[in-house]
Amino acid sequence: MRIRSTVSLGVLAAALGACSATGAQDAAPAAIAPGAPGDPSVWAFSGKTGIGTSYEAYAGEDGEAPTAPVSKVWFSLAEGIVTETMAGLIHEAQIKDMKLAFVGEGFVDVEGEDTEFEIEYLSTDDEGRPLSLAYRVTTRDEEGRYEAVKDVFTDPDRQTLFVRTTIRALGEEPVTPYLLVNPHVANTGDDDTASAGEDALIASDGESALAVVPSSPFEAASAGFVGASDGLSQLRRSGGLEERYDTTGEAPGNVAMTGKLAELRPGESVTFDLAIGFGDSREAAREEADGSLAEGYDTILANYNGEGAAVGWSDYIASLDALPDLAEEARDGGRLAYASALVLKAQEDKTHPGALIASLSNPWGDTVSAAESSTGYKAVWPRDFYQVAMAFLAMGDEETARAAFDYLPDIQVTEDMPGNEGATGWFLQKTHVDGEREWVMVQLDQTAMPIMLGWKLWQAGVLSEEELRASYDGMLRPAAVFLTEGGETDLDYNQGEVIPPRTQQERWEEQEGYSPSTTAAVIAGLVSAADMAEALGRGDDARRFLEAADAYEARIEDTMFTTEGRYGDGRYFLRITRNEDPDDRGPTGPANGQEGVAEDRVLDAGFLELVRYGVRPADVASITESLPELDDQALEDHYRVKYEFTFEGEEGAFPGWRRYGNDGYGGDAETGANYGRMTPGQRGRVWPFFTGERGHYELAAGMPPEEVAATHVRAMELFANEGLMLPEQVWDGVGDPTAYDYTPGEGTNSATPLAWTHAEYVKLLRSLRDERVWDRYAPVEERYARD
């Protein structure tokens, strides 16, 4: 576990002076806290070890759902504490973090900074596989002075986060615990007001509010401004609450609330419940919390898990017909497979069913300002969306895959879209779950993948012929026409021209030009559209789409495969090229603090998507000739892509790949600083889902399934953290491991859990079960990749 300490005991001892270290001399209440607006706010650490929300079934034809009323609360856990907690829409954070401080003779410790932690699932089957997103988190002082055990879950019938906490004094001296809450109401951190009483801690921002209500009153409570008058600042100055403030007044700012608990003598313990209610007013939030406390721990947890007559997470797991078979392909007994199923379903919005986000986190959050509302990765990208929807289908959850497909028209560019004066049919780059536009560049793979998903659903029998016809006319045909013709774009800041298969941005959203991975999706999308058109009697459409696909396919190597590259024998696929000459060593654009370099210097594994979708057979020369350069571990680290990792207790080394050489989307290799400073030292690290992508390729290339499982499946399992969360990036061992003291193969502060990574793991298990690549498209393979 990571242990970080920011408190000097020598300074503390001097500061404590004549004041009792247990806070016995806490002062009488004062009215309004000084120090507005407090320190600038930031988001929380992004390496989540757990996420949770209640399971909510879809409404039936009568408009009723067995899990009504719907709870729209999500929480996350990191470093042993509750971190970003959302209520309302899935991206609307209301709390930055909630943690405990422990004060004793000569020390003030804070959870997440001065403690170690363990995490476990509260509900598992006989094989230890999680059945619910309810957690037990235990934090301990490494010196053995105290321990806190927290059970964390939501109330499925209310807008409430529920936490049962037991604190034990384990040392030889008394210890006094304090609850610390830093709200970020209405998804910002600098505009809150707060009040504190012994019966509740309350914060609000406009029409959003939260109430932290204990099952028994606090000994004392205070509200203040972070870095000035908040409880933690006071504890660090004097070991107690020097002043107790009822309110932060009318001046908004970065506020925090503190509740003091009774002093625990050696061997004593205390157990209490906290209900954190959310609502459109302080009164409404308090009512939600009070209702949960009245319901009680046992009933709420049983309902959350789905015990007895209640419909909960265990019911969702039981509905996944394919999941037990997928677990049989795993190398960890199926623990990560079951966790992945839960995690993927939890990252769906509940106001907009089918809206699947990329991650319940803000990348590098504790270095990013929270002054303005931000979605981070709590937003919709059609590419990540496709990966997750395909994973649902792989697990046997046709209902969620269908809901996702039905959501897609909300983010397609049409003539009726406000502000659009250009081409239609393409899908927005990144949006809020309610469809609000955030980024609007054209990424052709994100327009192809909804077509590909539609074909898969049709083939699986999820879409009837009538439903297929409606979707084809309304959404799929316009997308295929755009992939065929392109057009002028005129939406917000995007004024340009798209001539497929040249894309404004490839799958990493950074470069324009011709991309193997993008082109693979475009061809698969067009052939899939043609297959559906033919079945619907639209022969002219089918011929039109196939003609375009054939033209793109015929130029793949001529456009994107260099024969004069500087690595190896000079023959390999480029990551991206701005023109149709792959041998001219043309420039790539700058991105993420990195200068653009010649295109032949940048390797990536995107060309494997050609095999995945069926555009190329696994053994075609252009593919096999590209592998040695991609896998060359003798390249200098700046351009090297493949790394291998060893793990304690495991035999051999396990493979991982970066996105591409010259990648700057990651922590700084020189200074250890986190992403966001746009320095030349920024370095993109290894992304675990590439291990899954490579496993799919190796399966297609004839590697025995048991070998793929032993190498690629097991590697992904080892990349998961203590809570079975799979990250976006893991530390590759290059440069300073930062203040978090990462070890190679450990997830970084980028984004965890990443839905795409969990989806790739699930799909690899399905491919092994089927002994065939799950994402392969039969009409594409039959047309281009027949042996």
Side-chain angles (χ1 to χ4, degrees):
M1 309 296 178
R2 291 189 296 274
I3 304 171
R4 293 190 293 154
S5 178
T6 58
V7 182
S8 166
L9 293 183
V11 171
L12 271 172
L16 291 173
C19 180
S20 165
T22 62
Q25 296 183 10
D26 290 342
I32 300 176
D39 291 344
S41 63
V42 295
W43 302 105
F45 182 75
S46 186
K48 310 303 184 184
T49 51
I51 64 169
T53 187
S54 66
Y55 168 66
E56 300 293 348
Y58 297 122
E61 294 182 0
D62 60 359
E64 295 294 325
T67 51
V70 176
S71 171
K72 299 179 182 180
V73 177
W74 293 261
F75 66 90
S76 62
L77 305 169
E79 301 188 301
I81 66 174
V82 173
T83 54
E84 275 122 354
T85 298
M86 282 60 65
L89 298 180
I90 197 169
H91 69 269
E92 293 176 330
Q94 310 295 340
I95 293 176
K96 174 196 173 185
D97 56 42
M98 183 172 69
K99 54 195 175 185
L100 294 166
F102 304 92
V103 179
E105 186 64 44
F107 71 89
V108 175
D109 285 357
V110 180
E111 280 189 308
E113 298 177 8
D114 306 301
T115 55
E116 297 177 324
F117 75 91
E118 296 176 357
I119 185 169
E120 58 187 304
Y121 288 86
L122 283 175
S123 177
T124 60
D125 65 12
D126 292 340
E127 304 298 322
R129 301 179 297 202
L131 300 176
S132 168
L133 291 171
Y135 302 89
R136 174 162 292 168
V137 183
T138 303
T139 55
R140 295 186 182 93
D141 171 28
E142 66 173 350
E143 297 181 27
R145 294 172 296 197
Y146 53 82
E147 174 186 82
V149 180
K150 299 184 290 289
D151 293 353
V152 188
F153 45 90
T154 62
D155 184 339
D157 297 319
R158 296 174 183 82
Q159 311 309 314
T160 306
L161 175 66
F162 199 93
V163 182
R164 168 161 288 184
T165 303
T166 298
I167 304 172
R168 302 181 179 94
L170 304 177
E172 298 179 356
E173 299 291 337
V175 62
T176 301
Y178 291 80
L179 178 71
L180 308 173
V181 183
N182 186 186
H184 274 183
V185 184
N187 206 42
T188 58
D190 289 353
D191 300 310
D192 298 338
T193 58
S195 60
E198 294 176 359
D199 64 335
L201 309 174
I202 298 178
S204 60
D205 179 355
E207 296 182 355
S208 298
L210 65 87
V212 182
V213 182
S215 55
S216 55
F218 297 115
E219 295 283 308
S222 184
F225 293 97
V226 173
S229 53
D230 64 301
L232 180 57
S233 295
Q234 294 190 53
L235 295 179
R236 284 177 165 160
R237 282 194 297 263
S238 67
L241 295 177
E242 302 163 303
E243 300 287 345
R244 299 207 298 273
Y245 303 104
D246 300 315
T247 178
T248 57
E250 297 182 0
N254 181 10
V255 303
M257 305 174 295
T258 304
K260 179 187 175 185
L261 303 171
E263 177 187 87
L264 298 176
R265 293 189 294 272
E268 288 186 337
S269 65
V270 62
T271 296
F272 61 96
D273 293 333
L274 289 170
I276 302 90
F278 304 93
D280 58 8
S281 68
R282 292 185 169 208
E283 293 76 16
R286 177 66 188 265
E287 183 178 350
E288 295 289 326
D290 287 343
S292 294
L293 286 176
E295 191 79 45
Y297 172 96
D298 291 334
T299 299
I300 293 173
L301 181 58
N303 291 344
Y304 184 86
N305 289 341
E307 298 172 12
V311 176
W313 278 116
S314 62
D315 299 283
Y316 177 69
I317 288 292
S319 75
L320 303 177
D321 294 339
L323 185 59
D325 288 345
L326 302 191
E328 291 296 319
E329 304 294 339
R331 287 304 178 101
D332 69 344
R335 294 174 67 246
L336 183 57
Y338 276 60
S340 294
L342 296 166
V343 165
L344 290 172
K345 184 62 177 174
Q347 296 187 103
E348 175 188 18
D349 189 58
K350 296 173 185 175
T351 304
H352 303 277
L356 307 173
I357 64 168
S359 176
L360 204 69
S361 65
N362 284 46
W364 293 279
D366 56 357
T367 67
V368 179
S369 171
E372 300 293 333
S373 179
S374 172
T375 60
Y377 276 12
K378 299 187 286 286
V380 174
W381 280 266
R383 176 176 42 256
D384 300 59
F385 186 101
Y386 162 83
Q387 310 294 342
V388 176
M390 286 291 289
F392 281 123
L393 201 57
M395 294 186 293
D397 183 357
E398 296 179 350
E399 193 175 24
T400 302
R402 172 61 189 268
F405 182 72
D406 289 344
Y407 168 84
L408 283 167
D410 292 352
I411 57 173
Q412 187 174 32
V413 178
T414 65
E415 292 181 354
D416 297 332
M417 178 170 284
N420 181 49
E421 300 293 334
T424 60
W426 55 284
F427 287 81
L428 293 168
Q429 178 186 356
K430 178 191 178 186
T431 67
H432 297 191
V433 291
D434 61 2
E436 180 181 339
R437 299 193 294 267
E438 195 162 342
W439 298 343
V440 294
M441 298 302 288
V442 173
Q443 298 173 10
L444 289 177
D445 61 338
Q446 296 206 134
T447 294
M449 286 173 173
I451 303 174
M452 296 157 65
L453 176 61
W455 186 89
K456 285 285 190 180
L457 291 171
W458 171 51
Q459 290 294 299
V462 178
L463 295 178
S464 68
E465 181 176 342
E466 181 180 354
E467 291 168 330
L468 176 65
R469 189 179 302 276
S471 294
Y472 178 85
D473 290 333
M475 177 175 67
L476 303 180
R477 184 181 184 276
V481 169
F482 186 82
L483 294 178
T484 303
E485 298 180 352
E488 299 282 344
T489 55
D490 187 356
L491 179 64
D492 299 344
Y493 57 82
N494 184 355
Q495 286 86 41
E497 183 179 15
V498 178
I499 304 175
R502 194 180 195 279
T503 185
Q504 287 183 339
Q505 291 181 344
E506 35 60 70
R507 69 173 176 167
W508 306 130
E509 308 189 285
E510 298 166 353
Q511 302 285 341
E512 61 179 331
Y514 299 90
S515 154
S517 62
T518 297
T519 303
V522 169
I523 292 169
L526 283 171
V527 175
S528 298
D531 196 46
M532 291 183 283
E534 192 68 45
L536 294 172
R538 311 288 180 83
D540 288 345
D541 280 356
R543 287 186 289 275
R544 177 186 185 187
F545 299 152
L546 289 176
E547 181 180 344
D550 289 347
Y552 303 157
E553 184 273 338
R555 294 282 295 160
I556 288 173
E557 279 77 10
D558 290 345
T559 305
M560 293 168 273
F561 183 84
T562 182
T563 59
E564 300 177 9
R566 70 189 68 210
Y567 301 128
D569 63 3
R571 300 178 61 81
Y572 50 88
F573 272 108
L574 302 173
R575 174 205 169 197
I576 193 81
T577 176
R578 290 185 168 186
N579 58 36
E580 295 188 1
D581 183 358
D583 293 324
D584 67 354
R585 297 191 174 183
T588 59
N592 300 315
Q594 306 301 306
E595 294 295 329
V597 298
E599 61 193 15
D600 71 315
R601 300 191 72 177
V602 186
L603 301 166
D604 87 334
F607 64 91
L608 295 179
E609 299 292 88
L610 294 164
V611 177
R612 186 187 189 101
Y613 300 140
V615 181
R616 287 286 181 271
D619 59 355
V620 74
S622 58
I623 298 292
T624 59
E625 289 177 345
S626 298
L627 293 174
E629 289 80 11
L630 176 70
D631 293 344
D632 185 357
Q633 297 184 70
L635 295 176
E636 63 175 292
D637 283 321
H638 189 75
Y639 294 104
R640 177 179 167 187
V641 180
K642 182 180 182 181
Y643 287 79
E644 291 185 336
F645 301 86
T646 58
F647 296 91
E648 185 177 353
E650 300 285 334
E651 294 184 4
F654 295 88
W657 287 264
R658 299 169 67 209
R659 294 194 304 176
Y660 57 84
N662 196 46
D663 185 9
Y665 187 63
D668 195 294
E670 298 172 1
T671 67
N674 282 323
Y675 179 83
R677 294 165 176 80
M678 293 299 179
T679 62
Q682 285 180 196
R683 175 177 173 80
R685 306 291 174 174
V686 165
W687 291 49
F689 73 66
F690 288 123
T691 300
E693 288 191 354
R694 185 58 171 268
H696 277 105
Y697 168 76
E698 297 294 355
L699 183 66
M703 180 181 285
E706 59 271 19
E707 187 174 341
V708 174
T711 302
H712 301 85
V713 167
R714 186 58 182 152
M716 294 191 77
E717 292 166 355
L718 293 168
F719 288 138
N721 64 26
E722 302 94 323
L724 300 177
M725 304 290 112
L726 281 167
E728 176 188 77
Q729 299 183 41
V730 298
W731 185 254
D732 57 15
V734 177
D736 189 327
T738 83
Y740 298 106
D741 196 25
Y742 298 126
T743 58
E746 180 182 5
T748 70
N749 189 16
S750 52
T752 305
L754 188 70
W756 188 343
T757 316
H758 282 277
E760 186 67 18
Y761 176 75
V762 167
K763 290 192 293 179
L764 182 55
L765 295 179
R766 178 62 187 253
S767 296
L768 290 175
R769 194 202 79 163
D770 296 349
E771 297 189 1
R772 179 177 178 80
V773 174
W774 175 245
D775 288 285
R776 183 157 285 204
Y777 289 80
V780 180
E781 182 178 21
E782 291 169 3
R783 193 170 188 85
Y784 304 119
R786 286 178 294 184
D787 293 333

